[in-house]
Amino acid sequence: MKRKPDAVFLDRDGTVMEDAHYIKAPEQVRLLPGAARAVRRLNEAEIPVIIVTNQSGIGRGLFTVEEYEAVRAHFESLLRDEGAHIDASYYCPHLPDKPLIGNCRKPGTVMFEKAISDFKLDPANVAYVGDRWRDVIASKKLGGRGIMIESSETTNDDRQRARADGIETAAGLSEAVIMLLDGLTDVSSKS
């Protein structure tokens, strides 16, 4: 029997909701098919679900922190409407081409390390799920299990790097959650 993960880190855009590029308004939020059910399955298994997302639109001046927070609140409300919830969200507002001291942008591990500390997690027993290599490579740097899912934003470079790094792959979030929960005897099977 496998040990259930202490937490699952999920990328947001392209993993749980559609990636509409620089979403600044709540009405732009669209959950991906099956995403709420997948998150709910993790909730039912009593596994914390933590969003870790790059939001360079803030650094680019395309939207404000307040607009990001309104989108986040609506996103979480849509999940709650379907019986699912997020335990915490971490975001990085920095630009990809402007590395700064303390830049928290993925593929860096700063946001993951903060969540691991905040939730007192065993880094060897967490999972990272996202649609880009940068979302899951922390599994090789910090420990744990990485699963890269397919989305319209997943590039051939992402796929090649994931293969080279021994990262598991799944067709989508629902399949990734099945992979994480398969073989656990203490997991609810409610639908």
Side-chain angles (χ1 to χ4, degrees), residues 9 52 104-114 116 122-130 132-147 162 165 167:
F9 293 115
V52 178
C104 50
R105 187 172 174 81
K106 294 181 291 184
T109 60
V110 171
M111 290 187 286
F112 297 111
E113 290 173 48
K114 173 115 176 68
I116 287 168
D122 174 0
N125 195 48
V126 297
Y128 307 81
V129 180
R132 304 291 302 268
W133 172 85
R134 67 180 175 224
D135 300 324
V136 297
I137 191 56
S139 65
K140 297 301 177 189
K141 297 176 179 178
L142 300 175
R145 184 176 181 184
I147 302 174
D165 289 324
I167 303 282

PDB file of all heavy atoms in Angstrom, residues 9 52 104-114 116 122-130 132-147 162 165 167:
ATOM      1  N   PHE A   9       0.501  19.906  -4.866  1.00  0.00           N
ATOM      2  CA  PHE A   9       0.687  21.242  -5.425  1.00  0.00           C
ATOM      3  C   PHE A   9       0.147  21.229  -6.846  1.00  0.00           C
ATOM      4  O   PHE A   9       0.581  20.420  -7.669  1.00  0.00           O
ATOM      5  CB  PHE A   9       2.167  21.621  -5.453  1.00  0.00           C
ATOM      6  CG  PHE A   9       2.782  21.788  -4.105  1.00  0.00           C
ATOM      7  CD1 PHE A   9       3.781  20.931  -3.675  1.00  0.00           C
ATOM      8  CD2 PHE A   9       2.380  22.809  -3.260  1.00  0.00           C
ATOM      9  CE1 PHE A   9       4.366  21.088  -2.433  1.00  0.00           C
ATOM     10  CE2 PHE A   9       2.957  22.973  -2.005  1.00  0.00           C
ATOM     11  CZ  PHE A   9       3.956  22.108  -1.595  1.00  0.00           C
ATOM     12  N   VAL A  52      -0.008  26.715  -6.765  1.00  0.00           N
ATOM     13  CA  VAL A  52       1.256  27.431  -6.898  1.00  0.00           C
ATOM     14  C   VAL A  52       1.310  27.914  -8.344  1.00  0.00           C
ATOM     15  O   VAL A  52       1.356  27.104  -9.276  1.00  0.00           O
ATOM     16  CB  VAL A  52       2.458  26.525  -6.557  1.00  0.00           C
ATOM     17  CG1 VAL A  52       3.754  27.269  -6.751  1.00  0.00           C
ATOM     18  CG2 VAL A  52       2.354  26.003  -5.127  1.00  0.00           C
ATOM     19  N   CYS A 104      10.530  34.346  -6.999  1.00  0.00           N
ATOM     20  CA  CYS A 104       9.831  33.126  -6.606  1.00  0.00           C
ATOM     21  C   CYS A 104       9.283  32.348  -7.797  1.00  0.00           C
ATOM     22  O   CYS A 104       8.664  31.304  -7.630  1.00  0.00           O
ATOM     23  CB  CYS A 104       8.685  33.479  -5.652  1.00  0.00           C
ATOM     24  SG  CYS A 104       7.609  34.801  -6.259  1.00  0.00           S
ATOM     25  N   ARG A 105       9.518  32.826  -9.002  1.00  0.00           N
ATOM     26  CA  ARG A 105       8.930  32.249 -10.205  1.00  0.00           C
ATOM     27  C   ARG A 105       9.360  30.793 -10.416  1.00  0.00           C
ATOM     28  O   ARG A 105      10.522  30.444 -10.287  1.00  0.00           O
ATOM     29  CB  ARG A 105       9.339  33.103 -11.407  1.00  0.00           C
ATOM     30  CG  ARG A 105       8.659  32.704 -12.678  1.00  0.00           C
ATOM     31  CD  ARG A 105       8.959  33.715 -13.776  1.00  0.00           C
ATOM     32  NE  ARG A 105       8.406  33.219 -15.022  1.00  0.00           N
ATOM     33  CZ  ARG A 105       7.144  33.331 -15.370  1.00  0.00           C
ATOM     34  NH1 ARG A 105       6.298  33.947 -14.576  1.00  0.00           N
ATOM     35  NH2 ARG A 105       6.711  32.842 -16.517  1.00  0.00           N
ATOM     36  N   LYS A 106       8.367  29.938 -10.756  1.00  0.00           N
ATOM     37  CA  LYS A 106       8.684  28.571 -11.149  1.00  0.00           C
ATOM     38  C   LYS A 106       9.456  28.632 -12.468  1.00  0.00           C
ATOM     39  O   LYS A 106       9.132  29.464 -13.305  1.00  0.00           O
ATOM     40  CB  LYS A 106       7.398  27.753 -11.363  1.00  0.00           C
ATOM     41  CG  LYS A 106       6.590  27.533 -10.106  1.00  0.00           C
ATOM     42  CD  LYS A 106       5.329  26.706 -10.349  1.00  0.00           C
ATOM     43  CE  LYS A 106       4.297  27.460 -11.159  1.00  0.00           C
ATOM     44  NZ  LYS A 106       3.031  26.735 -11.328  1.00  0.00           N
ATOM     45  N   PRO A 107      10.478  27.830 -12.664  1.00  0.00           N
ATOM     46  CA  PRO A 107      10.779  26.565 -12.012  1.00  0.00           C
ATOM     47  C   PRO A 107      11.526  26.676 -10.693  1.00  0.00           C
ATOM     48  O   PRO A 107      11.911  25.656 -10.119  1.00  0.00           O
ATOM     49  CB  PRO A 107      11.616  25.828 -13.055  1.00  0.00           C
ATOM     50  CG  PRO A 107      12.349  26.911 -13.766  1.00  0.00           C
ATOM     51  CD  PRO A 107      11.377  28.064 -13.821  1.00  0.00           C
ATOM     52  N   GLY A 108      11.736  27.880 -10.199  1.00  0.00           N
ATOM     53  CA  GLY A 108      12.319  28.023  -8.868  1.00  0.00           C
ATOM     54  C   GLY A 108      11.433  27.362  -7.824  1.00  0.00           C
ATOM     55  O   GLY A 108      10.264  27.075  -8.063  1.00  0.00           O
ATOM     56  N   THR A 109      11.985  27.159  -6.653  1.00  0.00           N
ATOM     57  CA  THR A 109      11.282  26.387  -5.621  1.00  0.00           C
ATOM     58  C   THR A 109      10.804  27.221  -4.437  1.00  0.00           C
ATOM     59  O   THR A 109      10.266  26.666  -3.482  1.00  0.00           O
ATOM     60  CB  THR A 109      12.193  25.255  -5.108  1.00  0.00           C
ATOM     61  OG1 THR A 109      13.378  25.828  -4.554  1.00  0.00           O
ATOM     62  CG2 THR A 109      12.550  24.271  -6.217  1.00  0.00           C
ATOM     63  N   VAL A 110      10.964  28.536  -4.491  1.00  0.00           N
ATOM     64  CA  VAL A 110      10.654  29.392  -3.343  1.00  0.00           C
ATOM     65  C   VAL A 110       9.208  29.219  -2.861  1.00  0.00           C
ATOM     66  O   VAL A 110       8.956  29.048  -1.665  1.00  0.00           O
ATOM     67  CB  VAL A 110      10.954  30.876  -3.661  1.00  0.00           C
ATOM     68  CG1 VAL A 110      10.425  31.796  -2.572  1.00  0.00           C
ATOM     69  CG2 VAL A 110      12.446  31.082  -3.847  1.00  0.00           C
ATOM     70  N   MET A 111       8.242  29.252  -3.783  1.00  0.00           N
ATOM     71  CA  MET A 111       6.839  29.130  -3.368  1.00  0.00           C
ATOM     72  C   MET A 111       6.567  27.755  -2.762  1.00  0.00           C
ATOM     73  O   MET A 111       5.850  27.638  -1.762  1.00  0.00           O
ATOM     74  CB  MET A 111       5.894  29.377  -4.549  1.00  0.00           C
ATOM     75  CG  MET A 111       5.858  30.819  -5.015  1.00  0.00           C
ATOM     76  SD  MET A 111       4.585  31.125  -6.275  1.00  0.00           S
ATOM     77  CE  MET A 111       5.313  30.343  -7.721  1.00  0.00           C
ATOM     78  N   PHE A 112       7.140  26.716  -3.358  1.00  0.00           N
ATOM     79  CA  PHE A 112       6.951  25.365  -2.828  1.00  0.00           C
ATOM     80  C   PHE A 112       7.570  25.236  -1.436  1.00  0.00           C
ATOM     81  O   PHE A 112       6.964  24.659  -0.530  1.00  0.00           O
ATOM     82  CB  PHE A 112       7.574  24.324  -3.765  1.00  0.00           C
ATOM     83  CG  PHE A 112       6.949  24.277  -5.124  1.00  0.00           C
ATOM     84  CD1 PHE A 112       7.644  24.710  -6.240  1.00  0.00           C
ATOM     85  CD2 PHE A 112       5.661  23.791  -5.303  1.00  0.00           C
ATOM     86  CE1 PHE A 112       7.080  24.656  -7.503  1.00  0.00           C
ATOM     87  CE2 PHE A 112       5.080  23.731  -6.560  1.00  0.00           C
ATOM     88  CZ  PHE A 112       5.793  24.169  -7.663  1.00  0.00           C
ATOM     89  N   GLU A 113       8.772  25.790  -1.273  1.00  0.00           N
ATOM     90  CA  GLU A 113       9.442  25.718   0.021  1.00  0.00           C
ATOM     91  C   GLU A 113       8.638  26.455   1.095  1.00  0.00           C
ATOM     92  O   GLU A 113       8.544  25.990   2.232  1.00  0.00           O
ATOM     93  CB  GLU A 113      10.851  26.302  -0.081  1.00  0.00           C
ATOM     94  CG  GLU A 113      11.790  25.419  -0.885  1.00  0.00           C
ATOM     95  CD  GLU A 113      13.133  26.073  -1.120  1.00  0.00           C
ATOM     96  OE1 GLU A 113      13.723  26.601  -0.159  1.00  0.00           O
ATOM     97  OE2 GLU A 113      13.595  26.056  -2.278  1.00  0.00           O
ATOM     98  N   LYS A 114       8.047  27.593   0.729  1.00  0.00           N
ATOM     99  CA  LYS A 114       7.225  28.337   1.686  1.00  0.00           C
ATOM    100  C   LYS A 114       6.013  27.501   2.102  1.00  0.00           C
ATOM    101  O   LYS A 114       5.698  27.410   3.282  1.00  0.00           O
ATOM    102  CB  LYS A 114       6.765  29.661   1.064  1.00  0.00           C
ATOM    103  CG  LYS A 114       5.766  30.432   1.902  1.00  0.00           C
ATOM    104  CD  LYS A 114       6.325  31.728   2.381  1.00  0.00           C
ATOM    105  CE  LYS A 114       5.324  32.574   3.135  1.00  0.00           C
ATOM    106  NZ  LYS A 114       4.900  32.057   4.423  1.00  0.00           N
ATOM    107  N   ILE A 116       5.708  24.224   1.957  1.00  0.00           N
ATOM    108  CA  ILE A 116       6.195  23.075   2.733  1.00  0.00           C
ATOM    109  C   ILE A 116       6.417  23.491   4.176  1.00  0.00           C
ATOM    110  O   ILE A 116       6.035  22.784   5.113  1.00  0.00           O
ATOM    111  CB  ILE A 116       7.461  22.481   2.082  1.00  0.00           C
ATOM    112  CG1 ILE A 116       7.077  21.720   0.801  1.00  0.00           C
ATOM    113  CG2 ILE A 116       8.215  21.579   3.052  1.00  0.00           C
ATOM    114  CD1 ILE A 116       8.253  21.338  -0.093  1.00  0.00           C
ATOM    115  N   ASP A 122       6.319  16.942   4.607  1.00  0.00           N
ATOM    116  CA  ASP A 122       7.510  16.161   4.277  1.00  0.00           C
ATOM    117  C   ASP A 122       7.747  16.344   2.780  1.00  0.00           C
ATOM    118  O   ASP A 122       6.950  15.857   1.972  1.00  0.00           O
ATOM    119  CB  ASP A 122       7.259  14.682   4.607  1.00  0.00           C
ATOM    120  CG  ASP A 122       8.385  13.775   4.164  1.00  0.00           C
ATOM    121  OD1 ASP A 122       9.391  14.257   3.584  1.00  0.00           O
ATOM    122  OD2 ASP A 122       8.258  12.550   4.383  1.00  0.00           O
ATOM    123  N   PRO A 123       8.814  17.043   2.368  1.00  0.00           N
ATOM    124  CA  PRO A 123       9.020  17.304   0.948  1.00  0.00           C
ATOM    125  C   PRO A 123       9.159  16.036   0.109  1.00  0.00           C
ATOM    126  O   PRO A 123       8.904  16.056  -1.092  1.00  0.00           O
ATOM    127  CB  PRO A 123      10.280  18.158   0.888  1.00  0.00           C
ATOM    128  CG  PRO A 123      10.898  18.085   2.220  1.00  0.00           C
ATOM    129  CD  PRO A 123       9.860  17.616   3.195  1.00  0.00           C
ATOM    130  N   ALA A 124       9.525  14.937   0.733  1.00  0.00           N
ATOM    131  CA  ALA A 124       9.636  13.672   0.001  1.00  0.00           C
ATOM    132  C   ALA A 124       8.274  13.044  -0.243  1.00  0.00           C
ATOM    133  O   ALA A 124       8.163  12.077  -1.000  1.00  0.00           O
ATOM    134  CB  ALA A 124      10.524  12.705   0.780  1.00  0.00           C
ATOM    135  N   ASN A 125       7.209  13.582   0.381  1.00  0.00           N
ATOM    136  CA  ASN A 125       5.894  12.980   0.257  1.00  0.00           C
ATOM    137  C   ASN A 125       4.824  13.983  -0.185  1.00  0.00           C
ATOM    138  O   ASN A 125       3.735  14.028   0.353  1.00  0.00           O
ATOM    139  CB  ASN A 125       5.477  12.300   1.568  1.00  0.00           C
ATOM    140  CG  ASN A 125       4.305  11.374   1.346  1.00  0.00           C
ATOM    141  OD1 ASN A 125       4.308  10.570   0.421  1.00  0.00           O
ATOM    142  ND2 ASN A 125       3.293  11.495   2.167  1.00  0.00           N
ATOM    143  N   VAL A 126       5.188  14.810  -1.160  1.00  0.00           N
ATOM    144  CA  VAL A 126       4.220  15.711  -1.774  1.00  0.00           C
ATOM    145  C   VAL A 126       4.189  15.411  -3.267  1.00  0.00           C
ATOM    146  O   VAL A 126       5.077  14.728  -3.791  1.00  0.00           O
ATOM    147  CB  VAL A 126       4.554  17.202  -1.526  1.00  0.00           C
ATOM    148  CG1 VAL A 126       4.499  17.532  -0.037  1.00  0.00           C
ATOM    149  CG2 VAL A 126       5.896  17.566  -2.120  1.00  0.00           C
ATOM    150  N   ALA A 127       3.167  15.919  -3.939  1.00  0.00           N
ATOM    151  CA  ALA A 127       3.066  15.747  -5.389  1.00  0.00           C
ATOM    152  C   ALA A 127       2.937  17.112  -6.049  1.00  0.00           C
ATOM    153  O   ALA A 127       2.372  18.042  -5.474  1.00  0.00           O
ATOM    154  CB  ALA A 127       1.874  14.872  -5.735  1.00  0.00           C
ATOM    155  N   TYR A 128       3.479  17.207  -7.249  1.00  0.00           N
ATOM    156  CA  TYR A 128       3.459  18.425  -8.049  1.00  0.00           C
ATOM    157  C   TYR A 128       2.766  18.079  -9.354  1.00  0.00           C
ATOM    158  O   TYR A 128       3.213  17.177 -10.068  1.00  0.00           O
ATOM    159  CB  TYR A 128       4.880  18.896  -8.356  1.00  0.00           C
ATOM    160  CG  TYR A 128       5.756  19.051  -7.140  1.00  0.00           C
ATOM    161  CD1 TYR A 128       6.387  17.944  -6.559  1.00  0.00           C
ATOM    162  CD2 TYR A 128       5.984  20.299  -6.577  1.00  0.00           C
ATOM    163  CE1 TYR A 128       7.207  18.082  -5.442  1.00  0.00           C
ATOM    164  CE2 TYR A 128       6.807  20.445  -5.466  1.00  0.00           C
ATOM    165  CZ  TYR A 128       7.410  19.335  -4.907  1.00  0.00           C
ATOM    166  OH  TYR A 128       8.221  19.480  -3.810  1.00  0.00           O
ATOM    167  N   VAL A 129       1.685  18.790  -9.687  1.00  0.00           N
ATOM    168  CA  VAL A 129       0.945  18.512 -10.912  1.00  0.00           C
ATOM    169  C   VAL A 129       0.767  19.817 -11.676  1.00  0.00           C
ATOM    170  O   VAL A 129       0.293  20.816 -11.119  1.00  0.00           O
ATOM    171  CB  VAL A 129      -0.435  17.882 -10.613  1.00  0.00           C
ATOM    172  CG1 VAL A 129      -1.186  17.605 -11.919  1.00  0.00           C
ATOM    173  CG2 VAL A 129      -0.289  16.596  -9.795  1.00  0.00           C
ATOM    174  N   GLY A 130       1.154  19.803 -12.940  1.00  0.00           N
ATOM    175  CA  GLY A 130       0.990  20.980 -13.782  1.00  0.00           C
ATOM    176  C   GLY A 130       1.161  20.630 -15.239  1.00  0.00           C
ATOM    177  O   GLY A 130       1.586  19.518 -15.576  1.00  0.00           O
ATOM    178  N   ARG A 132       3.145  22.244 -17.424  1.00  0.00           N
ATOM    179  CA  ARG A 132       4.444  22.661 -17.961  1.00  0.00           C
ATOM    180  C   ARG A 132       5.550  22.039 -17.108  1.00  0.00           C
ATOM    181  O   ARG A 132       5.378  21.785 -15.919  1.00  0.00           O
ATOM    182  CB  ARG A 132       4.576  24.191 -17.922  1.00  0.00           C
ATOM    183  CG  ARG A 132       3.475  24.985 -18.640  1.00  0.00           C
ATOM    184  CD  ARG A 132       3.492  24.839 -20.152  1.00  0.00           C
ATOM    185  NE  ARG A 132       4.740  25.245 -20.756  1.00  0.00           N
ATOM    186  CZ  ARG A 132       4.999  26.471 -21.201  1.00  0.00           C
ATOM    187  NH1 ARG A 132       4.109  27.435 -21.088  1.00  0.00           N
ATOM    188  NH2 ARG A 132       6.167  26.736 -21.761  1.00  0.00           N
ATOM    189  N   TRP A 133       6.708  21.843 -17.724  1.00  0.00           N
ATOM    190  CA  TRP A 133       7.858  21.278 -17.020  1.00  0.00           C
ATOM    191  C   TRP A 133       8.188  22.102 -15.782  1.00  0.00           C
ATOM    192  O   TRP A 133       8.478  21.561 -14.726  1.00  0.00           O
ATOM    193  CB  TRP A 133       9.051  21.218 -17.990  1.00  0.00           C
ATOM    194  CG  TRP A 133      10.345  20.847 -17.360  1.00  0.00           C
ATOM    195  CD1 TRP A 133      10.806  19.577 -17.115  1.00  0.00           C
ATOM    196  CD2 TRP A 133      11.348  21.742 -16.878  1.00  0.00           C
ATOM    197  NE1 TRP A 133      12.043  19.649 -16.515  1.00  0.00           N
ATOM    198  CE2 TRP A 133      12.397  20.968 -16.362  1.00  0.00           C
ATOM    199  CE3 TRP A 133      11.457  23.127 -16.838  1.00  0.00           C
ATOM    200  CZ2 TRP A 133      13.542  21.529 -15.812  1.00  0.00           C
ATOM    201  CZ3 TRP A 133      12.596  23.688 -16.281  1.00  0.00           C
ATOM    202  CH2 TRP A 133      13.623  22.892 -15.778  1.00  0.00           C
ATOM    203  N   ARG A 134       8.097  23.424 -15.899  1.00  0.00           N
ATOM    204  CA  ARG A 134       8.446  24.309 -14.778  1.00  0.00           C
ATOM    205  C   ARG A 134       7.542  24.078 -13.564  1.00  0.00           C
ATOM    206  O   ARG A 134       7.901  24.420 -12.449  1.00  0.00           O
ATOM    207  CB  ARG A 134       8.404  25.764 -15.215  1.00  0.00           C
ATOM    208  CG  ARG A 134       7.001  26.245 -15.556  1.00  0.00           C
ATOM    209  CD  ARG A 134       6.985  27.688 -15.993  1.00  0.00           C
ATOM    210  NE  ARG A 134       5.655  28.057 -16.410  1.00  0.00           N
ATOM    211  CZ  ARG A 134       5.385  28.749 -17.492  1.00  0.00           C
ATOM    212  NH1 ARG A 134       6.360  29.157 -18.283  1.00  0.00           N
ATOM    213  NH2 ARG A 134       4.147  29.058 -17.789  1.00  0.00           N
ATOM    214  N   ASP A 135       6.340  23.529 -13.783  1.00  0.00           N
ATOM    215  CA  ASP A 135       5.399  23.279 -12.691  1.00  0.00           C
ATOM    216  C   ASP A 135       5.762  22.053 -11.859  1.00  0.00           C
ATOM    217  O   ASP A 135       5.321  21.930 -10.717  1.00  0.00           O
ATOM    218  CB  ASP A 135       3.976  23.059 -13.236  1.00  0.00           C
ATOM    219  CG  ASP A 135       3.446  24.247 -14.016  1.00  0.00           C
ATOM    220  OD1 ASP A 135       3.754  25.399 -13.636  1.00  0.00           O
ATOM    221  OD2 ASP A 135       2.725  24.013 -15.001  1.00  0.00           O
ATOM    222  N   VAL A 136       6.510  21.137 -12.453  1.00  0.00           N
ATOM    223  CA  VAL A 136       6.726  19.833 -11.813  1.00  0.00           C
ATOM    224  C   VAL A 136       8.183  19.510 -11.511  1.00  0.00           C
ATOM    225  O   VAL A 136       8.468  18.557 -10.789  1.00  0.00           O
ATOM    226  CB  VAL A 136       6.098  18.699 -12.660  1.00  0.00           C
ATOM    227  CG1 VAL A 136       4.588  18.885 -12.739  1.00  0.00           C
ATOM    228  CG2 VAL A 136       6.702  18.628 -14.051  1.00  0.00           C
ATOM    229  N   ILE A 137       9.121  20.290 -12.020  1.00  0.00           N
ATOM    230  CA  ILE A 137      10.543  19.978 -11.829  1.00  0.00           C
ATOM    231  C   ILE A 137      10.962  20.102 -10.364  1.00  0.00           C
ATOM    232  O   ILE A 137      11.945  19.494  -9.938  1.00  0.00           O
ATOM    233  CB  ILE A 137      11.446  20.832 -12.750  1.00  0.00           C
ATOM    234  CG1 ILE A 137      12.887  20.302 -12.739  1.00  0.00           C
ATOM    235  CG2 ILE A 137      11.398  22.290 -12.357  1.00  0.00           C
ATOM    236  CD1 ILE A 137      13.037  18.836 -13.108  1.00  0.00           C
ATOM    237  N   ALA A 138      10.194  20.832  -9.560  1.00  0.00           N
ATOM    238  CA  ALA A 138      10.511  20.922  -8.125  1.00  0.00           C
ATOM    239  C   ALA A 138      10.553  19.539  -7.488  1.00  0.00           C
ATOM    240  O   ALA A 138      11.232  19.333  -6.485  1.00  0.00           O
ATOM    241  CB  ALA A 138       9.499  21.804  -7.403  1.00  0.00           C
ATOM    242  N   SER A 139       9.857  18.579  -8.082  1.00  0.00           N
ATOM    243  CA  SER A 139       9.885  17.214  -7.538  1.00  0.00           C
ATOM    244  C   SER A 139      11.294  16.642  -7.578  1.00  0.00           C
ATOM    245  O   SER A 139      11.650  15.827  -6.722  1.00  0.00           O
ATOM    246  CB  SER A 139       8.926  16.301  -8.312  1.00  0.00           C
ATOM    247  OG  SER A 139       9.335  16.146  -9.658  1.00  0.00           O
ATOM    248  N   LYS A 140      12.094  17.053  -8.535  1.00  0.00           N
ATOM    249  CA  LYS A 140      13.477  16.567  -8.625  1.00  0.00           C
ATOM    250  C   LYS A 140      14.407  17.387  -7.739  1.00  0.00           C
ATOM    251  O   LYS A 140      15.428  16.905  -7.286  1.00  0.00           O
ATOM    252  CB  LYS A 140      13.967  16.593 -10.081  1.00  0.00           C
ATOM    253  CG  LYS A 140      13.179  15.675 -10.982  1.00  0.00           C
ATOM    254  CD  LYS A 140      13.243  14.241 -10.499  1.00  0.00           C
ATOM    255  CE  LYS A 140      12.403  13.323 -11.338  1.00  0.00           C
ATOM    256  NZ  LYS A 140      12.285  11.988 -10.794  1.00  0.00           N
ATOM    257  N   LYS A 141      14.041  18.634  -7.481  1.00  0.00           N
ATOM    258  CA  LYS A 141      14.881  19.504  -6.665  1.00  0.00           C
ATOM    259  C   LYS A 141      14.604  19.332  -5.174  1.00  0.00           C
ATOM    260  O   LYS A 141      15.528  19.392  -4.361  1.00  0.00           O
ATOM    261  CB  LYS A 141      14.648  20.965  -7.057  1.00  0.00           C
ATOM    262  CG  LYS A 141      15.049  21.281  -8.484  1.00  0.00           C
ATOM    263  CD  LYS A 141      14.698  22.718  -8.831  1.00  0.00           C
ATOM    264  CE  LYS A 141      15.103  23.065 -10.243  1.00  0.00           C
ATOM    265  NZ  LYS A 141      14.731  24.444 -10.601  1.00  0.00           N
ATOM    266  N   LEU A 142      13.328  19.132  -4.803  1.00  0.00           N
ATOM    267  CA  LEU A 142      12.938  19.085  -3.392  1.00  0.00           C
ATOM    268  C   LEU A 142      12.523  17.701  -2.913  1.00  0.00           C
ATOM    269  O   LEU A 142      12.434  17.459  -1.720  1.00  0.00           O
ATOM    270  CB  LEU A 142      11.771  20.054  -3.145  1.00  0.00           C
ATOM    271  CG  LEU A 142      12.025  21.520  -3.439  1.00  0.00           C
ATOM    272  CD1 LEU A 142      10.741  22.330  -3.257  1.00  0.00           C
ATOM    273  CD2 LEU A 142      13.130  22.056  -2.552  1.00  0.00           C
ATOM    274  N   GLY A 143      12.208  16.817  -3.847  1.00  0.00           N
ATOM    275  CA  GLY A 143      11.671  15.508  -3.498  1.00  0.00           C
ATOM    276  C   GLY A 143      10.197  15.469  -3.817  1.00  0.00           C
ATOM    277  O   GLY A 143       9.585  16.468  -4.180  1.00  0.00           O
ATOM    278  N   GLY A 144       9.617  14.304  -3.720  1.00  0.00           N
ATOM    279  CA  GLY A 144       8.209  14.140  -4.025  1.00  0.00           C
ATOM    280  C   GLY A 144       8.000  13.591  -5.417  1.00  0.00           C
ATOM    281  O   GLY A 144       8.922  13.101  -6.059  1.00  0.00           O
ATOM    282  N   ARG A 145       6.787  13.698  -5.884  1.00  0.00           N
ATOM    283  CA  ARG A 145       6.367  13.079  -7.147  1.00  0.00           C
ATOM    284  C   ARG A 145       5.844  14.145  -8.098  1.00  0.00           C
ATOM    285  O   ARG A 145       4.947  14.911  -7.745  1.00  0.00           O
ATOM    286  CB  ARG A 145       5.268  12.064  -6.838  1.00  0.00           C
ATOM    287  CG  ARG A 145       4.785  11.263  -8.003  1.00  0.00           C
ATOM    288  CD  ARG A 145       3.775  10.234  -7.541  1.00  0.00           C
ATOM    289  NE  ARG A 145       3.303   9.426  -8.657  1.00  0.00           N
ATOM    290  CZ  ARG A 145       2.359   8.515  -8.550  1.00  0.00           C
ATOM    291  NH1 ARG A 145       1.780   8.272  -7.381  1.00  0.00           N
ATOM    292  NH2 ARG A 145       1.984   7.829  -9.608  1.00  0.00           N
ATOM    293  N   GLY A 146       6.387  14.193  -9.292  1.00  0.00           N
ATOM    294  CA  GLY A 146       5.931  15.127 -10.304  1.00  0.00           C
ATOM    295  C   GLY A 146       5.128  14.411 -11.369  1.00  0.00           C
ATOM    296  O   GLY A 146       5.522  13.351 -11.836  1.00  0.00           O
ATOM    297  N   ILE A 147       3.996  15.025 -11.745  1.00  0.00           N
ATOM    298  CA  ILE A 147       3.180  14.500 -12.834  1.00  0.00           C
ATOM    299  C   ILE A 147       2.824  15.673 -13.750  1.00  0.00           C
ATOM    300  O   ILE A 147       2.122  16.589 -13.333  1.00  0.00           O
ATOM    301  CB  ILE A 147       1.887  13.824 -12.332  1.00  0.00           C
ATOM    302  CG1 ILE A 147       2.196  12.687 -11.359  1.00  0.00           C
ATOM    303  CG2 ILE A 147       1.074  13.310 -13.527  1.00  0.00           C
ATOM    304  CD1 ILE A 147       0.963  12.066 -10.710  1.00  0.00           C
ATOM    305  N   ALA A 162      10.599  16.774 -19.418  1.00  0.00           N
ATOM    306  CA  ALA A 162       9.957  15.884 -18.444  1.00  0.00           C
ATOM    307  C   ALA A 162      10.463  14.459 -18.615  1.00  0.00           C
ATOM    308  O   ALA A 162      10.798  13.783 -17.633  1.00  0.00           O
ATOM    309  CB  ALA A 162       8.441  15.952 -18.585  1.00  0.00           C
ATOM    310  N   ASP A 165      13.954  14.106 -17.354  1.00  0.00           N
ATOM    311  CA  ASP A 165      14.023  14.182 -15.891  1.00  0.00           C
ATOM    312  C   ASP A 165      13.255  13.061 -15.194  1.00  0.00           C
ATOM    313  O   ASP A 165      13.176  13.042 -13.959  1.00  0.00           O
ATOM    314  CB  ASP A 165      13.490  15.536 -15.406  1.00  0.00           C
ATOM    315  CG  ASP A 165      14.442  16.674 -15.737  1.00  0.00           C
ATOM    316  OD1 ASP A 165      15.669  16.455 -15.684  1.00  0.00           O
ATOM    317  OD2 ASP A 165      13.969  17.778 -16.055  1.00  0.00           O
ATOM    318  N   ILE A 167      10.022  12.534 -15.205  1.00  0.00           N
ATOM    319  CA  ILE A 167       8.744  13.016 -14.678  1.00  0.00           C
ATOM    320  C   ILE A 167       7.623  12.176 -15.296  1.00  0.00           C
ATOM    321  O   ILE A 167       7.599  11.958 -16.501  1.00  0.00           O
ATOM    322  CB  ILE A 167       8.524  14.503 -15.022  1.00  0.00           C
ATOM    323  CG1 ILE A 167       9.672  15.372 -14.503  1.00  0.00           C
ATOM    324  CG2 ILE A 167       7.157  15.001 -14.556  1.00  0.00           C
ATOM    325  CD1 ILE A 167       9.656  15.697 -13.061  1.00  0.00           C
TER     326      ILE A 167
END
